[in-house]
Amino acid sequence: MKKLLFLLLSGTILFSCQDGKKQEYEVVKNDLRAPAYPLITIDPYTSAWSMTDNLYDSSVKHWTGKDFPLIGAIKVDGVAYRFMGTEDLELKPIVPTSEQGEWYGKYTTTKPATNWTDISFDDSSWKEDKGAFGTTENEPTAKTNWTTENIWVRRKITLDEDIQGKHIYLEYSNDDDAIFYINGVEVLNTGSTCNKNAVVKIPDNIIKSLKKGENLITAHCKNPVANGLLDFGLLVQKEMNTALEKTAVQKSVDVQAMQTHYVFACGEVDLKLTFTAPLFMDDLKLMTRPVNYISYDITSNDGKSHEVQLYFEASPRWALDQPYQESASESFEDNGLIFLKTGSKEQNILAKRGDDLRIDWGYFYLAADKKNTTYNIGKSDMLRKNFVNGTNEDQANKGENDAAKMALTCNLGTVSSSLGKILLGYDDIYSIQYFGENLRPYWNSTGDQTIVGQFHLANNEYDKLIEKCYNFDKELMDKATHAGGKKYADLCVLAYRQAIAAHKLVQAPNGDLLFLSKENNSNGSIGTVDITYPSSPLFLYYNPELAKGLANHIFYYSESGKWTKPFPAHDIGTYPQGNGQTYGGDMPIEEAGNMLVLTAAIATMEGNAKYAEKHWDVLTIWTDYLAEYGLDPENQLCTDDFAGHFAHNVNLSVKAIMGVASYGRLADMLGKKDIAEKYTVKAKEMASEWMKMADDGDHYRLTFDKPGTWSQKYNLVWNKLLNMNIFPNEVAQKEIAYYLGKQNKYGLPLDNRETYTKSDWIMWTATLADDNATFEKFINPLYLFYNETVDRVPMSDWVFTDKPNYRGFKARSVVGGYYIKMLEEKLKGETK
């Protein structure tokens, strides 16, 4: 078997030894301090991150922020060092949320008197009903429908025990702005950040007010748009013993496209740890193989040999939505591999839908080479104690609930160097419900594969795939640097796994690819068109078949007659249930323009319009809608309405014009010359009118009817990339010159109304620049934001430009839009 040895030198070179022969892998280090570091990236459910500078400073977390406990430790000559994760903080409910038990509260939607949080307040005129309160149509946990802008809730609670001296936490869910009080004292103001099952420690002074017997929790929630939710309860921390207090010293971390590399000093040895997800988009079976690697390389740093053991521990929470759900774990061996398997007892497949949810069906697996590896299942304190003390107490090959933690120990012996790997994966059995039919994951679309077989493939192909990953990482960094500079490249690299793993690839009953996004941290919609549009450059660049997979479900929805409006749907449901649009409003101009431009971009990448021809009838309907209503849009939803809906949207009008022009381009590629001329002329006429209506001297307006306003006209980028020539280049350059004077420390605001921005749109706007120096003037402030933000979450695309905070959204696929500049370079190369 080939051996790989990873040695990081000055962050630039990695060496590998294969069959005793040294081979060099050049790695250009990513200089960005990532807001969060990707570790395991398979799909929206199996998505694990480190959200701290050091891998051992906090628990490994799902992108939602909930713990995915994964602990790593090394023992060197009997001394244990923790290098990954933290020892579990175990909490139990003492006042249940709606997901843990039934509760009732008094509520009003009319602003009450200022003393409404007091225990003595008279709430006899308030209504009483079951919590949680929210939009019951789209919030699965909401028990009482709440559709007004504001709600005030009073919940009397009874504590059966004295909790003084204990650590108490508030667990809460809110959408949008919420303030929580305990016995009249404010505990938490969430601001405008939405949360689901979030936990915050209650200060000691407030805990002192919580007496045995009756107490009061009150909350006010404001929901200006879309769905609402308010839920809360209390948790108490269980007593726990720590066995892995001593940590290694992290020396470096480096994020590449497919790999994240860590280096630690662990006493007399150094540990190199690499997380690898071989997400090659030109091999869809491999891309969807639900197995990732953790590779380790141990080297003595004092020239001596040392007795070394490695310990990896995983929690059933990788296969649970909530920690209180019942679980079961087991072990087995197969053809030289040890497997540890865990999942929920209930196994209610595809039953839940929503945003801040984790999978609770199917099974999570750890696997390792049987040689020199031992395993155990049980309670975490027992597993860790055994590792630290070198004992084998309470050995078990299965367990349930608190005793279902799983541990692998790699006994490396007395060595000066050693290397190996473990494998992590997930079998979700069925991934998506598509118009009533449950679909398997793409890797098992025909139902003839097994998860054990996928692990064996991953194990057997490890050496080959690791080499491919290093080569890909270097090639991507080089190409992105050439296209837009090193800081641009660093951002693209960080976006790669995030963008892909925010999707699930399945095969439709008619054989179409369905590359379905989950609208992470915005509303949980599945297959959202205005998520597809910004994310598409990455997939257009690497595999247009995946770009088609972003659109096929929307075409089917209209062509099947299930969606009858003369513009595309916004989505086909709430992830993972794609049974029809669930979003509360339509985006007629937005989604029609998105679909037409995407289809034209696919045709450009493929050099033919066969895909468009297949969907010509519905494309015609959408185009005619844009031609009639797109120039001066009426008041309607669009992707940039964060500061409120408005009519006469100038950038939305650009999208409509680009949509009409795209149809003309497609008609020309299909030899429909009369149709091509008609719609191309129409697009140019619309553009001419647009220039008159939007002109505001040295720039163009936010809305046609409001002089003195401005906005990013990022939709113009397709006029440039696809060589449409609908707008003269002077339009874009006038805007670019104006934007340079509007930037803040962390970038260009979305428009004049607020200081926040969208990072994907900055990338598109910057690509309008005629030279790289100007392009980088827009990228550098954005890079600075990600390098300095205090909000440690997977890359957000909705961020402030005047402070290092994100406004909302995280872990979304739209960061695939960062590849717009690389796409421009590729298109230039193909047209030379």
Side-chain angles (χ1 to χ4, degrees):
M1 179 179 175
K2 293 182 178 180
K3 297 176 69 180
L4 291 173
L5 172 63
F6 309 118
L7 177 61
L8 188 63
L9 298 178
S10 303
T12 56
I13 302 290
L14 287 165
F15 293 93
S16 169
C17 258
Q18 297 194 8
D19 296 332
K21 298 178 181 178
K22 181 179 286 189
Q23 179 174 339
E24 249 179 46
Y25 289 119
E26 185 177 358
V27 172
V28 180
K29 190 176 187 303
N30 190 330
D31 298 313
L32 182 69
R33 185 234 59 181
Y37 295 92
L39 304 179
I40 306 299
T41 47
I42 292 174
D43 61 24
Y45 285 136
T46 308
S47 173
W49 301 72
S50 173
M51 300 185 188
T52 49
D53 286 337
N54 297 311
L55 186 58
Y56 46 73
D57 281 345
S58 71
S59 175
V60 172
K61 294 180 181 292
H62 185 255
W63 67 258
T64 57
K66 305 306 185 296
D67 289 349
F68 262 13
L70 182 65
I71 289 179
I74 185 172
K75 194 162 66 171
V76 181
D77 295 334
V79 180
Y81 304 86
R82 175 169 45 85
F83 58 80
M84 176 169 61
T86 54
E87 297 192 74
D88 306 357
L89 178 67
E90 295 194 42
L91 306 172
K92 70 174 183 178
I94 54 173
V95 176
T97 66
S98 65
E99 295 178 77
Q100 298 158 347
E102 188 175 80
W103 69 271
Y104 286 82
K106 292 287 193 75
Y107 73 97
T108 182
T109 56
T110 303
K111 187 175 182 179
T114 55
N115 66 333
W116 70 277
T117 63
D118 293 350
I119 295 178
S120 59
F121 177 79
D122 181 6
D123 60 13
S124 59
S125 64
W126 289 28
K127 297 178 181 178
E128 184 175 20
D129 218 325
K130 188 183 296 185
F133 299 85
T135 313
T136 53
E137 182 180 1
N138 294 317
E139 290 287 357
T141 60
K143 304 299 190 295
T144 297
N145 199 33
W146 161 46
T147 57
T148 60
E149 184 172 357
N150 289 278
I151 191 169
W152 291 261
V153 175
R154 289 170 53 86
R155 179 184 180 185
K156 291 182 179 179
I157 62 171
T158 300
L159 294 178
D160 297 327
E161 59 181 290
D162 182 3
I163 60 172
Q164 297 305 307
K166 297 183 178 180
H167 298 294
I168 308 298
Y169 294 79
L170 174 72
E171 181 174 357
Y172 60 97
S173 299
N174 65 289
D175 188 352
D176 290 331
D177 314 8
I179 307 176
F180 298 90
Y181 307 83
I182 291 179
N183 291 333
V185 180
E186 183 177 322
V187 177
L188 174 69
N189 186 331
T190 68
S192 56
T193 301
C194 299
N195 299 278
K196 186 71 183 295
N197 303 117
V199 173
V200 63
K201 191 175 186 298
I202 297 173
D204 290 340
N205 66 307
I206 297 179
I207 292 176
K208 289 178 181 178
S209 76
L210 286 166
K211 308 298 184 183
K212 185 177 180 180
E214 188 174 283
N215 295 268
L216 179 70
I217 306 177
T218 53
H220 170 221
C221 192
K222 181 178 181 179
N223 180 45
V225 294
N227 300 324
L229 181 65
L230 181 64
D231 194 10
F232 48 88
L234 297 180
L235 307 167
V236 62
Q237 182 177 325
K238 295 181 181 180
E239 297 291 332
M240 62 178 292
N241 298 313
T242 57
L244 299 170
E245 291 188 51
K246 190 179 185 68
T247 66
V249 177
Q250 185 173 304
K251 298 169 70 175
S252 67
V253 57
D254 177 26
V255 179
Q256 297 293 320
M258 294 192 187
Q259 304 187 92
T260 301
H261 306 288
Y262 286 92
V263 178
F264 303 94
C266 311
E268 291 77 23
V269 305
D270 290 340
L271 167 66
K272 291 86 179 180
L273 197 73
T274 296
F275 297 83
T276 303
L279 296 173
F280 291 97
M281 284 185 271
D282 60 350
D283 184 341
L284 299 184
K285 289 294 186 183
L286 173 59
M287 186 191 83
T288 59
R289 180 185 294 165
V291 182
N292 281 192
Y293 304 104
I294 301 179
S295 307
Y296 57 85
D297 166 29
I298 295 158
T299 305
S300 169
N301 56 37
D302 65 358
K304 300 177 182 178
S305 294
H306 300 276
E307 185 180 359
V308 179
Q309 291 176 302
L310 271 173
Y311 173 85
F312 295 96
E313 178 196 314
S315 163
R317 291 186 63 178
W318 282 73
L320 303 175
D321 178 33
Q322 296 296 327
Y324 57 80
Q325 290 179 274
E326 292 192 330
S327 62
S329 300
E330 62 178 293
S331 60
F332 61 92
E333 298 178 10
D334 188 273
N335 288 331
L337 289 181
I338 290 170
F339 288 86
L340 300 177
K341 170 186 177 182
T342 189
S344 69
K345 290 185 179 180
E346 189 177 24
Q347 289 297 310
N348 202 351
I349 294 175
L350 293 169
K352 294 180 179 179
R353 66 178 190 181
D355 185 9
D356 196 338
L357 295 176
R358 288 136 301 277
I359 194 168
D360 59 4
W361 72 89
Y363 298 94
F364 171 76
Y365 292 81
L366 281 179
D369 193 317
K370 180 180 176 181
K371 184 179 180 181
N372 299 326
T373 301
T374 58
Y375 58 92
N376 200 356
I377 295 173
K379 293 186 176 182
S380 56
D381 54 352
M382 180 271 293
L383 296 175
R384 296 165 199 165
K385 179 182 175 182
N386 280 345
F387 172 69
V388 171
N389 296 333
T391 55
N392 293 302
E393 296 179 12
D394 300 321
Q395 285 286 106
N397 58 17
K398 62 182 179 179
E400 297 183 354
N401 303 326
D402 289 346
K405 304 290 192 341
M406 307 176 299
L408 289 170
T409 300
C410 305
N411 303 292
L412 306 182
T414 301
V415 295
S416 59
S417 67
S418 185
L419 51 111
K421 66 182 181 301
I422 67 169
L423 300 88
L424 299 86
Y426 205 99
D427 181 9
D428 58 2
I429 305 172
Y430 287 96
S431 304
I432 299 293
Q433 189 172 91
Y434 186 64
F435 295 103
E437 184 170 346
N438 291 352
L439 303 181
R440 298 180 185 273
Y442 185 80
W443 63 267
N444 192 27
S445 57
T446 55
D448 58 354
Q449 299 296 308
T450 67
I451 188 65
V452 170
Q454 293 297 301
F455 269 88
H456 281 299
L457 282 172
N459 187 55
N460 294 338
E461 295 176 2
Y462 171 76
D463 292 343
K464 176 183 70 175
L465 290 178
I466 290 295
E467 182 174 5
K468 282 187 67 176
C469 287
Y470 276 111
N471 291 336
F472 180 90
D473 289 349
K474 174 62 166 56
E475 180 183 21
L476 173 52
M477 184 69 86
D478 287 346
K479 287 184 176 180
T481 301
H482 174 76
K486 179 60 165 57
K487 290 181 178 179
Y488 169 71
D490 287 350
L491 293 171
C492 285
V493 162
L494 179 59
Y496 187 85
R497 276 175 279 170
Q498 175 174 318
I500 298 171
H503 296 82
K504 192 70 178 186
L505 186 67
V506 294
Q507 189 172 53
N510 67 359
D512 283 346
L513 287 179
L514 302 175
F515 194 41
L516 296 167
S517 63
K518 178 174 182 180
E519 197 171 331
N520 289 344
N521 200 225
S522 39
N523 63 22
S525 290
I526 183 171
T528 303
V529 178
D530 55 292
I531 294 293
T532 286
Y533 177 70
S535 71
S536 63
L538 172 62
F539 309 110
L540 289 165
Y541 186 94
Y542 282 107
N543 188 349
E545 290 301 319
L546 287 175
K548 294 176 188 177
L550 295 171
N552 284 332
H553 58 288
I554 296 297
F555 280 121
Y556 170 77
Y557 197 12
S558 286
E559 292 166 347
S560 66
K562 300 177 189 296
W563 178 263
T564 59
K565 297 178 183 180
F567 47 80
H570 169 271
D571 59 77
I572 61 164
T574 301
Y575 197 93
Q577 299 174 7
N579 298 318
Q581 179 171 309
T582 53
Y583 190 67
D586 296 330
M587 296 187 181
I589 304 299
E590 179 77 41
E591 311 303 27
N594 290 342
M595 289 295 292
L596 281 153
V597 171
L598 175 60
T599 305
I602 291 169
T604 302
M605 297 305 296
E606 292 193 319
N608 66 76
K610 292 179 181 179
Y611 183 66
E613 187 174 30
K614 179 180 176 182
H615 303 293
W616 195 250
D617 289 347
V618 74
L619 287 171
T620 302
I621 293 170
W622 296 343
T623 304
D624 287 341
Y625 185 90
L626 292 179
E628 183 173 356
Y629 300 107
L631 175 59
D632 189 5
E634 60 185 20
N635 195 352
Q636 62 188 273
L637 287 167
C638 76
T639 197
D640 295 334
D641 53 13
F642 309 109
H645 308 161
F646 54 93
H648 318 299
N649 184 332
V650 172
N651 187 48
L652 187 59
S653 177
V654 174
K655 181 170 288 185
I657 296 168
M658 287 292 95
V660 174
S662 294
Y663 183 80
R665 170 66 60 81
L666 292 166
D668 185 65
M669 294 178 72
L670 290 170
K672 302 176 185 287
K673 300 302 181 182
D674 291 345
I675 294 175
E677 182 178 2
K678 174 185 174 182
Y679 285 92
T680 302
V681 168
K682 177 63 176 177
K684 289 183 176 179
E685 289 173 351
M686 293 170 74
S688 180
E689 285 298 308
W690 182 96
M691 292 170 62
K692 298 173 188 174
M693 295 162 61
D695 188 60
D696 209 42
D698 59 352
H699 70 283
Y700 296 95
R701 300 173 182 177
L702 168 68
T703 64
F704 291 122
D705 61 332
K706 292 182 181 178
T709 61
W710 65 273
S711 65
Q712 291 189 43
K713 310 300 188 303
Y714 57 82
N715 286 312
L716 284 169
V717 74
W718 297 106
N719 187 63
K720 181 183 183 184
L721 265 62
L722 303 183
N723 293 312
M724 292 286 197
N725 297 316
I726 301 299
F727 289 89
N729 186 46
E730 290 77 14
V731 171
Q733 298 319 306
K734 183 161 78 168
E735 285 288 282
I736 288 292
Y738 185 80
Y739 297 154
L740 289 172
K742 293 296 180 181
Q743 293 209 96
N744 292 323
K745 179 178 180 179
Y746 296 118
L748 177 67
L750 187 61
D751 57 50
N752 61 270
R753 295 175 296 169
E754 298 283 352
T755 59
Y756 53 62
T757 193
K758 289 285 273 84
S759 62
D760 46 346
W761 299 149
I762 284 183
M763 293 285 189
W764 291 33
T765 293
T767 302
L768 292 171
D770 278 342
D771 60 88
N772 273 23
T774 304
F775 173 83
E776 291 182 38
K777 288 180 181 178
F778 291 101
I779 303 307
N780 292 346
L782 190 61
Y783 178 95
L784 183 66
F785 173 85
Y786 289 117
N787 204 55
E788 295 185 352
T789 179
V790 297
D791 296 322
R792 307 305 296 271
V793 298
M795 191 180 278
S796 171
D797 55 286
W798 186 16
V799 302
F800 287 100
T801 62
D802 57 348
K803 56 185 177 181
N805 298 103
Y806 83 118
R807 173 61 179 82
F809 303 162
K810 58 187 174 184
R812 301 208 310 168
S813 64
V814 300
V815 295
Y818 292 8
Y819 286 74
I820 192 83
K821 184 65 174 175
M822 289 182 66
L823 183 63
E824 179 192 30
E825 292 299 303
K826 189 168 189 175
L827 287 168
K828 282 181 182 177
E830 291 180 357
T831 57
K832 286 180 181 178

